[in-house]
Amino acid sequence: MSFTITRIETDLGTPGSAAFVEVQLNDLADYPLVTPPATAIVSAKYQSYAQQVRDFQVYEDDVWIVTFPKCGTTWTQEMVWLIDNALDYQTARDININTRSVFLEIGAVADRIPVDTVTATANLKRPRHIKSHLPLPLLPRQLWTVKPKIVYVTRNPKDVAASYLHHYRMIMGYRGTKEAFLDGLLEDRVMYCPQVRQTLDFWALKDQPNVLFLTYEAMKRDLRSVLPSVCEFFGKSYTDAQLDELAEHLSFDQMKKNPATNNDQIVRNAMRMNGREGEHFEFMRKGIIGDYKNELSEEYIAKFDRFIEEQLAGSDFRYGA
């Protein structure tokens, strides 16, 4: 086995969930610019899938969307799918984004999802659009030899913390305190951590021709100005009027009321399974920059500022404010 898997003690579990494990990749030969330790926090269920994901067959015509959770993943999936598919709004309206752009490892990390989504994704008709939250060392090694297009999106960890807490409570059923969750992020002991390390691994690859590195903040402040670079990355050309229409389709208000992108049914099902039925929660909650100021105390804002500064030491990458 290429991995060392260590069970970790945590109070960040969810009802009916197995314990978390720390997965460490021992052989980094196939992974570019990654230095030890190459670790990730996932549910214990994932240990049965780790090698399967590492050996997953990748094709050159794949499109991969990789993010840490709550970094604008669904937004990016919709943008990329439409740009890569001739702005086919009719299909985008008729077919849910999760069918058009599939979540590779959800069945490997979610204890209540019995489907082997890794195998199901492998058997999809090509070309495939694939989403993942896995950090670079746990992604398929063929990504770095076959070199399909990879779009990576990052977001300020303070805003991620505010959004991920609500997601953890409502979608995953977390019953612990806000402080325990935030401390877990600061200790890199929450699902899919470490967050900053994931960003830095992809930042190191930003100049690779098959990698597009985006930030949530740039997209939020002026998505229309980001669209031409995404089109260029996919070798697509659209008129100004077409890009104006696309920007409107991708606006937060439009995405939130669009049944094909707002994940409303997934949210309702998850909340019902987690005993949250009847409570109010929307997958697309606010979608703003700086919401952490409304959600985190001054103490935790200061803690995250120190954490981010320490994690970014030696790198020229800086998060958007």
Side-chain angles (χ1 to χ4, degrees), residues 49-304:
Y49 293 87
Q51 194 67 41
Q52 184 182 349
V53 173
R54 185 173 189 250
D55 296 336
F56 186 89
Q57 184 167 3
V58 174
Y59 298 101
E60 190 175 357
D61 58 0
D62 283 345
V63 174
W64 289 71
I65 311 294
V66 183
T67 72
F68 192 81
K70 313 314 293 182
C71 288
T73 318
T74 305
W75 191 20
T76 305
Q77 288 173 272
E78 182 76 349
M79 173 182 69
V80 166
W81 190 89
L82 282 165
I83 287 174
D84 194 38
N85 285 274
L87 304 181
D88 183 358
Y89 294 108
Q90 187 61 54
T91 299
R93 283 190 292 268
D94 292 345
I95 300 178
N96 189 279
I97 185 61
N98 297 299
T99 300
R100 292 180 278 121
S101 185
V102 298
F103 192 172
L104 173 69
E105 75 274 3
I106 184 61
V109 298
D111 296 296
R112 291 175 173 172
I113 295 179
V115 180
D116 177 357
T117 56
V118 179
T119 298
T121 301
N123 293 330
L124 286 174
K125 181 181 177 181
R126 296 167 54 194
R128 308 175 301 187
H129 277 228
I130 301 171
K131 151 193 165 180
S132 178
H133 292 315
L134 293 171
L136 190 149
L138 296 193
L139 286 167
R141 55 183 168 178
Q142 286 187 16
L143 284 174
W144 319 115
T145 53
V146 178
K147 298 186 176 182
K149 292 194 180 300
I150 302 170
V151 180
Y152 182 79
V153 188
T154 192
R155 186 183 187 185
N156 189 301
K158 290 179 287 189
D159 274 334
V160 170
S163 183
Y164 202 12
L165 172 61
H166 289 281
H167 179 98
Y168 230 69
R169 282 174 169 166
M170 297 300 181
I171 303 297
M172 300 176 68
Y174 174 61
R175 292 291 197 272
T177 67
K178 174 190 283 193
E179 291 75 20
F181 180 82
L182 296 176
D183 288 339
L185 282 174
L186 292 166
E187 296 165 3
D188 280 330
R189 284 293 183 267
V190 173
M191 178 82 82
Y192 289 117
C193 282
Q195 178 187 357
V196 179
R197 175 62 184 269
Q198 185 195 85
T199 292
L200 292 180
D201 281 343
F202 278 94
W203 179 249
L205 299 174
K206 67 184 185 303
D207 295 325
Q208 297 293 314
N210 67 310
V211 176
L212 179 64
F213 187 102
L214 300 174
T215 70
Y216 181 94
E217 289 76 19
M219 292 169 63
K220 187 64 184 178
R221 288 197 170 97
D222 189 359
L223 179 63
R224 178 62 178 79
S225 70
V226 172
L227 292 177
S229 63
V230 182
C231 292
E232 182 181 2
F233 180 70
F234 283 96
K236 304 292 183 178
S237 179
Y238 299 111
T239 67
D240 286 343
Q242 286 176 311
L243 293 183
D244 290 342
E245 182 182 11
L246 178 58
E248 173 60 22
H249 174 86
L250 294 170
S251 68
F252 183 80
D253 288 343
Q254 292 298 319
M255 289 279 290
K256 188 172 183 176
K257 68 184 183 183
N258 181 354
T261 58
N262 63 19
N263 285 328
D264 184 68
Q265 192 57 52
I266 291 175
V267 167
R268 299 307 133 213
N269 290 341
M271 290 176 68
R272 184 171 57 255
M273 286 190 294
N274 293 322
R276 297 284 192 180
E277 194 169 13
E279 298 184 48
H280 178 73
F281 176 72
E282 294 174 305
F283 186 84
M284 295 183 179
R285 206 172 50 87
K286 292 184 180 179
I288 62 176
I289 298 172
D291 189 43
Y292 70 87
K293 297 172 186 176
N294 302 315
E295 299 280 345
L296 306 186
S297 67
E298 290 298 326
E299 176 188 0
Y300 273 97
I301 291 173
K303 285 183 178 181
F304 271 94

Side-chain angles (χ1 to χ4, degrees), residues 6-11 19-22 40-42 188-190:
T6 306
R7 188 182 180 96
I8 63 173
E9 296 301 323
T10 179
D11 57 358
F20 288 168
V21 294
E22 181 178 64
I41 302 301
V42 286
D188 280 330
R189 284 293 183 267
V190 173

